Amino acid sequence: MENIFHTFILDDHPLITNSYEWALRKVLEKREQQLKIKICQSIREASVFLQDRQFLASLDLVFLDIQLPQEEGNKFLSGEDIGVFLKKNGMKAKMIVSTTFTDNYRLNSLLKNMDPDGLLVKNDLTPEELMRAIEAVLSEPPYYSKTVRELMRKQLLNDYTVDSIDRRMLHELSQGAKMKDLPAVLPLSLAGIEKRKRNLKQVFGVEEDRELILKAREKGFI
């Protein structure tokens, strides 16, 4: 029987991908499993493999970086969009998400939208932490790194979830789109879109559209 562990990594920093691979090999040595790994460093490169259902079905573990450079014409705006896509399409592999963001709104949205088996803040990561995270996700998920655990303990996670429609709206506005044009690209009426924008302004504590875009960019939503 094949004893190969299939893994997919999406991250644009080679040092990070090397660290993931090293930690994973250490964990798999204990399990006497061999590693077969595919590493992608861009959304465009990853999009090719996301269309291969056989490839997705073979996976045991996926590592996703959230903050990746946006690419014009690609339906995926971030690693978060890819994670949501994989969940919606029935991927059975465990998922570990990593991010540099520590904002409570952003982390809350990642937890609600993606429901990852592991959520890691990159500043928390050490070789030992990575190995603990992988072992926990494979045996008894979920696993959250120190910063995420602290935020959850202090109840700083906000109830409002910035979902994929909100993020698409923010993206379009940041590119100069007018509100009247958004119903053509979002599955909402103009009134529904305006309500979402008002809600986001309240969540971020801003009043002007320009401030909303700046705050959304600062928090990693665009």
Side-chain angles (χ1 to χ4, degrees):
M1 182 176 177
E2 186 182 61
N3 194 25
I4 297 178
F5 192 88
H6 297 263
T7 301
F8 175 61
I9 298 177
L10 174 58
D11 196 296
D12 61 344
H13 293 92
L15 287 177
I16 295 293
T17 60
N18 290 342
S19 297
Y20 290 160
E21 182 175 356
W22 177 87
L24 187 54
R25 288 189 185 280
K26 288 293 185 181
V27 171
L28 294 181
E29 282 179 8
K30 301 176 185 178
R31 294 171 168 251
E32 297 183 345
Q33 289 180 290
Q34 297 180 9
L35 175 63
K36 185 173 183 179
I37 190 168
K38 178 61 188 177
I39 299 174
C40 290
Q41 295 183 333
S42 71
I43 291 177
R44 187 177 303 279
E45 184 183 2
S47 297
V48 176
F49 295 94
L50 296 178
Q51 308 309 314
D52 187 341
R53 291 192 174 274
Q54 185 175 355
F55 171 76
L56 296 180
S58 72
L59 292 175
D60 297 297
L61 181 63
V62 172
F63 287 91
L64 287 181
D65 181 20
I66 292 304
Q67 190 72 359
L68 293 162
Q70 294 180 359
E71 298 171 357
E72 186 175 352
N74 198 305
K75 68 177 181 178
F76 300 114
L77 299 178
S78 68
E80 182 174 358
D81 289 322
I82 290 177
V84 171
F85 169 84
L86 292 173
K87 289 282 187 177
K88 286 184 176 179
N89 283 270
M91 186 192 72
K92 296 180 180 180
K94 300 291 178 60
M95 182 186 297
I96 296 178
V97 172
S98 63
T99 179
T100 57
F101 294 108
T102 58
D103 180 86
N104 55 333
Y105 295 125
R106 193 69 179 102
L107 293 175
N108 185 49
S109 290
L110 292 175
L111 288 168
K112 294 288 183 66
N113 293 338
M114 300 175 69
D115 188 25
D117 300 286
L119 179 56
L120 312 177
V121 172
K122 288 187 177 181
N123 286 343
D124 293 339
L125 296 185
T126 63
E128 294 76 17
E129 175 79 358
L130 268 177
M131 290 179 64
R132 281 195 297 271
I134 293 168
E135 289 172 340
V137 164
L138 296 184
S139 59
E140 194 175 353
Y143 182 88
Y144 305 127
S145 68
K146 179 181 177 181
T147 299
V148 181
R149 295 195 301 270
E150 288 177 351
L151 288 171
M152 295 176 75
R153 278 197 298 267
K154 293 175 182 178
Q155 298 181 338
L156 292 179
L157 296 179
N158 192 278
D159 289 334
Y160 187 89
T161 299
V162 179
D163 63 17
S164 59
I165 295 177
D166 289 329
R167 289 187 291 108
R168 173 63 69 173
M169 177 185 69
L170 291 167
H171 171 73
E172 296 293 337
L173 290 174
S174 73
Q175 299 300 305
K178 305 296 183 183
M179 286 294 290
K180 63 182 179 64
D181 299 323
L182 293 187
V185 295
L186 297 175
L188 293 172
S189 66
L190 181 57
I193 295 171
E194 289 175 338
K195 181 179 179 180
R196 280 178 175 260
K197 188 170 75 168
R198 286 195 301 272
N199 288 340
L200 286 174
K201 286 182 177 180
Q202 290 179 349
V203 168
F204 293 152
V206 299
E207 296 182 1
E208 303 296 331
D209 287 2
R210 180 176 178 276
E211 293 176 314
L212 175 62
I213 297 304
L214 290 174
K215 185 65 70 172
R217 183 172 286 116
E218 173 189 321
K219 294 180 180 297
F221 289 109
I222 56 176

